[in-house]
Amino acid sequence: MAIMMELGFYQKLERIPLLKIAAIYVIGLFIAPMLKFSFVLFQYLQHGLFIVLGITLGCYLFRGTLFKYGYLIGYYILILLFAVWQFWRNEPLYVQNHFSHFQLDSYVVHIIEEPKGKSGTTRFSAEVIGGYIQDSFIVTTGKVMVSMKFAGENQLQYADQIWLKSNIMTVPPPFNPLEFDYREYLRKSDIHHQIFLNTDDYKIIAKGSPGSANLTGIALQTRQYFLKKLRRYFKEEEYFSIAAALLYGFRSDIDDENIKAFTNTGTIHVLSVSGMHVAVLFGFLSLVFRFFPWRPMLSWLPFVLTFSIIWIYAFIAGLDPPIARAAIMISFVLCAQHFKRNSSTLNALVAAATVILLFSPKAIADVGFQLSFLAVLGMVLFLPVFEKNIVVKNPLLRFVRDTVGISIAAQVLTTPLTLYYFGQFPTYFLLANLLVDLPSTITMYLGFLMTINPIDWLNELLGYLLENLIGGILYCLKSIDRLAFSTIKINIIDNMLLFLSYVAIFCFLYGYQWEDKKYNYLGLLCTLGIMIIAINQQYIDKNTERFRIYNTKNELTIAYFKNKKAVIYSTFDSLNHKALQYACGREIQVLASEDNVQFIPLKGKSRRNNYLIALPIGKIIVMEHFKDALPAADLLVIRKNTIQKLSVALNGISPREVILDGSNSLRKSLQAQAILDSLKIKSYIIKDNFAYVWDKESL
């Protein structure tokens, strides 16, 4: 009897044929953002691709020893150059007929996504198919994000064609530390411009027909049909919004409190259609088709139906990276089962990543893409270790073990990235997943059953059960969120800590799997490095004073931080104001513990007020109107275009520096800066600029 030898590490890698190509392509996508091209250089890059392709083919055809190495080198260079070209090819600078290259008076746009409305504003992305210069129509290309105010019900839909007249602007960068980078978020979809419209600024030229436009239109129309059907059987809007997200990834109507409960407990993945949802649908279809007495000549039909329904569902759910990854992987499993071939999860994972990045190369920087693939990779690598060390025969205990194992395995590789992006960790993620996974799976089964069930009384019963299940899920999550230390918030880790974290994780895994102590020692060395860097960072943070004047547009927000304590002065009426939270809420959460934030509103009885703020770093005068008697201060903040008699005010205050905040017009700010320059006083303009940031180590 032959003894089966376990494959070595490199032998296992060789069984993933796409790995080399995918790795080089990904390296090229990571390198691409560091490279900046002029229009001419980008044309050279395109020509270079064809030249390298010709040389590589020539080397392959001759196949000599020298040409063999030339072929390999050319092959890898070709993949790298192709990745760089893929990343940049849709940039406006390199697209000759992009609308931003023309001074258009008005635009004609085609809506390419389902408009989403909230708080009286609707948003959607659109393709600019042309525009007018006087009476001449010019055909263009390029995408724009449209935001418009609407009263009553929004009449716009996918595939509508509208004429609009307003200024299209480039999307600005974030103006505050740790502020959400909306510009980068839109760039991943090749959107670089935005436009804000009033009701009189646009006109519908042609109504689209979503059902006949294309596959996306059909998918959106189908989703709307399913959501309308579901809505009839829900009494509570809150529960319906959760069901819509659980089943079809439609999260627009979920309120912020519920989103926060899912986020803080580490179960937000439940609301984003992903691998779990596709796996549940796959299981549901397998269960349904098992009861059909298929004839031998129709044995192929379950495969075709399952394959088709999985991809229709993926399109209905929006085809985001996590759902695309899951659909591709399930497709590989289905094909392997049908054609009686062995399937490899790692092979399917690498193939899914390659396909997604070929169609959407900028998805490499998408947080959802990264977390989705790392979670599955964690399950593939660490779940066997978990199952090997904890052997359970009881079915109920095995279910608990598998749920805990999947949660831990997925968390191992996603935690460093979560800390890197968000600076927080859900302490009770295991408990939350145990309490949510089974009810959410049952909810999806019931929801899918409601979708295909024509019997009204049965749907009413299913709707009642769904509402109670979702109510139970929300109750559990909110109870966990209220527990002490439910979320650990830390300073967002830097690139070095992120790198060391993953090196340590993979070294420990390799050392365990292949019993190589050298890698265990290397993992320990990386862990020691992480601890030293973290302790040093904590020491620096404890002894660092931080002062901010945030860019909150027409409002003023001043913050002082030290030793996890904060004092916030603001013209906003609350620390929880949405605009304040969007601009600087994330940094406040990172630099100060929640119970150590003192919020002081700057609100007076009159329209314009002057304020004196005393902080450990010095005195600050906030001037909204000129007054003869103003005390001396270290810093002067000028608001609301109060630059008349500025020289007189400066004589009394004698500031070391003057800040012109966002409530001043840019023209007035520049006038004031000219006066300050003539007096040799430092100044800083916040209008359309980054926040005023000051850090000092007081060691």
Side-chain angles (χ1 to χ4, degrees):
M1 185 176 176
I3 299 173
M4 293 292 291
M5 297 291 292
E6 187 179 356
L7 294 174
F9 176 71
Y10 293 105
Q11 289 174 314
K12 286 191 174 183
L13 289 183
E14 286 172 359
R15 294 200 167 196
I16 310 173
L18 269 176
L19 186 61
K20 281 185 182 178
I21 297 173
I24 295 166
Y25 183 67
V26 167
I27 290 169
L29 293 179
F30 275 118
I31 292 171
M34 306 174 194
L35 306 174
K36 301 293 181 183
F37 300 95
S38 65
F39 179 79
V40 174
L41 280 177
F42 190 74
Q43 299 304 310
Y44 286 146
L45 173 65
Q46 294 186 116
H47 299 323
L49 268 172
F50 289 104
I51 293 169
V52 174
L53 177 62
I55 293 171
T56 305
L57 285 173
C59 292
Y60 176 75
L61 291 172
F62 286 102
R63 299 186 189 180
T65 305
L66 180 62
F67 290 108
K68 178 183 176 182
Y69 291 112
Y71 163 70
L72 287 174
I73 294 168
Y75 176 68
Y76 293 137
I77 291 174
L78 185 65
I79 295 171
L80 278 172
L81 290 177
F82 177 73
V84 174
W85 175 80
Q86 271 277 83
F87 188 89
W88 287 112
R89 66 188 178 90
N90 289 323
E91 284 289 304
L93 177 63
Y94 313 130
V95 180
Q96 290 186 344
N97 63 333
H98 195 274
F99 68 86
S100 61
H101 301 325
F102 305 94
Q103 297 294 325
L104 300 173
D105 301 320
S106 60
Y107 304 85
V108 177
V109 306
H110 186 76
I111 299 177
I112 56 174
E113 74 165 336
E114 185 179 29
K116 298 178 178 68
K118 201 169 187 179
S119 303
T121 301
T122 188
R123 288 185 176 84
F124 55 85
S125 57
E127 180 78 24
V128 182
I129 60 176
Y132 291 93
I133 299 179
Q134 295 178 352
D135 294 327
S136 300
F137 183 77
I138 297 174
V139 177
T140 64
T141 187
K143 296 179 184 178
V144 62
M145 178 58 67
V146 181
S147 301
M148 59 173 64
K149 295 286 183 183
F150 67 89
E153 188 178 352
N154 176 33
Q155 298 299 318
L156 294 172
Q157 62 181 12
Y158 174 81
D160 282 354
Q161 198 173 102
I162 64 174
W163 172 89
L164 51 89
K165 186 171 185 178
S166 189
N167 293 324
I168 289 184
M169 302 169 290
T170 56
V171 182
F175 289 135
N176 296 287
L178 302 185
E179 181 183 332
F180 174 66
D181 195 341
Y182 187 58
R183 180 175 68 172
E184 193 60 33
Y185 170 76
L186 291 181
R187 274 187 173 182
K188 292 166 191 170
S189 302
D190 291 317
I191 299 173
H192 302 266
H193 297 80
Q194 62 183 353
I195 187 168
F196 298 92
L197 302 175
N198 295 312
T199 51
D200 299 330
D201 294 334
Y202 72 96
K203 182 170 61 177
I204 299 175
I205 299 174
K207 292 295 291 181
S209 301
S212 59
N214 53 34
L215 192 57
T216 303
I218 296 169
L220 289 173
Q221 191 178 48
T222 306
R223 183 171 74 176
Q224 283 300 321
Y225 170 77
F226 289 155
L227 289 175
K228 284 180 181 177
K229 183 177 180 180
L230 278 175
R231 185 68 193 86
R232 293 202 302 268
Y233 304 106
F234 278 83
K235 295 178 181 178
E236 297 288 338
E237 185 68 32
E238 180 184 31
Y239 296 154
F240 167 71
S241 65
I242 300 291
L246 276 169
L247 291 166
Y248 304 112
F250 190 77
R251 288 170 48 174
S252 299
D253 297 332
I254 303 178
D255 61 49
D256 295 337
E257 185 183 350
N258 288 336
I259 288 285
K260 183 182 176 184
F262 279 95
T263 303
N264 290 349
T265 53
T267 55
I268 191 66
H269 63 277
V270 172
L271 298 182
S272 301
V273 175
S274 58
M276 183 186 78
H277 298 70
V278 176
V280 169
L281 179 60
F282 177 60
F284 177 77
L285 294 172
S286 301
L287 188 66
V288 170
F289 292 149
R290 191 177 299 168
F291 292 102
F292 281 84
W294 302 104
R295 294 181 181 180
M297 62 184 301
L298 295 176
S299 60
W300 53 270
L301 194 55
F303 163 72
V304 172
L305 287 174
T306 304
F307 189 91
S308 302
I309 292 170
I310 289 291
W311 278 101
I312 290 169
Y313 178 66
F315 271 95
I316 289 172
L319 210 63
D320 289 330
I323 186 69
R325 185 265 308 155
I328 293 169
M329 290 184 70
I330 290 289
S331 299
F332 274 97
V333 172
L334 270 171
C335 291
Q337 287 180 352
H338 183 71
F339 296 107
K340 295 180 174 58
R341 296 285 189 273
N342 292 327
S343 61
S344 165
T345 309
L346 271 177
N347 255 329
L349 186 66
V350 172
T354 306
V355 170
I356 291 170
L357 292 176
L358 279 172
F359 283 97
S360 181
K362 289 181 182 176
I364 191 72
D366 183 75
V367 181
F369 174 87
Q370 294 170 359
L371 291 175
S372 172
F373 278 87
L374 283 175
V376 177
L377 182 61
M379 286 186 275
V380 171
L381 297 178
F382 290 95
L383 197 55
V385 176
F386 200 82
E387 292 173 345
K388 181 181 176 181
N389 287 280
I390 303 175
V391 180
V392 178
K393 295 182 179 180
N394 184 285
L396 181 61
L397 292 177
R398 193 185 300 124
F399 169 77
V400 174
R401 182 205 64 180
D402 291 346
T403 303
V404 171
I406 289 170
S407 296
I408 292 176
Q411 206 74 37
V412 169
L413 288 187
T414 56
T415 294
L417 202 65
T418 302
L419 295 177
Y420 177 75
Y421 282 118
F422 309 115
Q424 67 178 42
F425 179 77
T427 315
Y428 306 114
F429 73 92
L430 278 177
L431 176 61
N433 280 284
L434 274 172
L435 294 174
V436 166
D437 279 356
L438 183 58
S440 61
T441 302
I442 296 171
T443 299
M444 284 185 275
Y445 272 109
L446 294 178
F448 292 140
L449 187 58
M450 286 179 71
T451 301
I452 62 174
N453 176 51
I455 304 170
D456 197 58
W457 66 265
L458 182 56
N459 281 337
E460 287 183 1
L461 176 61
L462 292 173
Y464 174 78
L465 292 173
L466 273 173
E467 282 198 319
N468 282 277
L469 271 171
I470 293 169
I473 290 171
L474 285 176
Y475 176 79
C476 290
L477 293 183
K478 289 179 180 179
S479 298
I480 293 171
D481 191 26
R482 285 193 292 266
L483 293 174
F485 307 108
S486 62
T487 305
I488 298 174
K489 295 179 180 178
I490 65 169
N491 283 2
I492 293 174
I493 66 174
D494 59 15
N495 291 326
M496 178 55 71
L497 281 175
L498 183 69
F499 173 75
L500 288 175
S501 298
Y502 281 114
V503 171
I505 290 169
F506 285 111
C507 282
F508 284 132
L509 177 64
Y510 186 91
Y512 172 83
Q513 189 73 32
W514 308 103
E515 298 180 357
D516 192 334
K517 291 183 178 179
K518 295 193 300 290
Y519 284 90
N520 287 329
Y521 294 143
L522 181 58
L524 286 171
L525 188 64
C526 290
T527 305
L528 181 63
I530 291 169
M531 292 172 64
I532 291 170
I533 293 172
I535 291 168
N536 181 59
Q537 188 60 50
Q538 282 188 354
Y539 180 73
I540 291 172
D541 288 343
K542 185 178 180 180
N543 294 281
T544 300
E545 292 179 293
R546 290 182 169 88
F547 175 72
R548 309 280 190 264
I549 300 179
Y550 292 110
N551 185 340
T552 47
K553 297 184 179 178
N554 290 328
E555 303 295 335
L556 174 68
T557 304
I558 296 173
Y560 172 80
F561 303 95
K562 187 175 182 184
N563 198 16
K564 284 293 181 180
K565 295 181 181 179
V567 180
I568 314 291
Y569 292 86
S570 181
T571 53
F572 287 111
D573 56 7
S574 167
L575 184 63
N576 296 319
H577 194 285
K578 284 187 176 181
L580 187 149
Q581 283 295 316
Y582 180 85
C584 49
R586 190 177 175 196
E587 189 183 45
I588 293 170
Q589 289 177 2
V590 168
L591 297 181
S593 54
E594 193 172 349
D595 55 346
N596 279 326
V597 178
Q598 182 184 4
F599 181 77
I600 303 169
L602 299 177
K603 288 290 182 182
K605 293 180 181 178
S606 62
R607 188 164 172 265
R608 289 174 178 259
N609 299 279
N610 295 332
Y611 305 96
L612 175 63
I613 298 172
L615 292 172
I617 61 168
K619 292 181 179 179
I620 303 161
I621 291 285
V622 178
M623 189 172 73
E624 294 185 348
H625 66 92
F626 175 75
K627 189 177 180 182
D628 291 330
L630 285 171
D634 301 284
L635 188 68
L636 171 62
V637 180
I638 297 175
R639 284 178 48 76
K640 299 180 179 179
N641 295 318
T642 311
I643 68 168
Q644 297 87 356
K645 301 183 180 179
L646 180 57
S647 300
V648 178
L650 291 169
N651 288 332
I653 301 170
S654 302
R656 289 180 296 180
E657 190 169 0
V658 175
I659 309 297
L660 297 132
D661 86 337
S663 64
N664 303 291
S665 67
L666 187 59
R667 183 175 64 85
K668 292 286 187 179
S669 295
L670 292 171
Q671 288 178 7
Q673 190 174 53
I675 296 169
L676 293 164
D677 287 343
S678 67
L679 297 172
K680 296 184 179 179
I681 298 175
K682 287 175 63 179
S683 62
Y684 188 83
I685 296 174
I686 290 181
K687 185 77 172 181
D688 298 332
N689 199 9
F690 201 75
Y692 180 79
V693 175
W694 180 89
D695 293 340
K696 180 184 177 184
E697 292 182 29
S698 54
L699 303 178

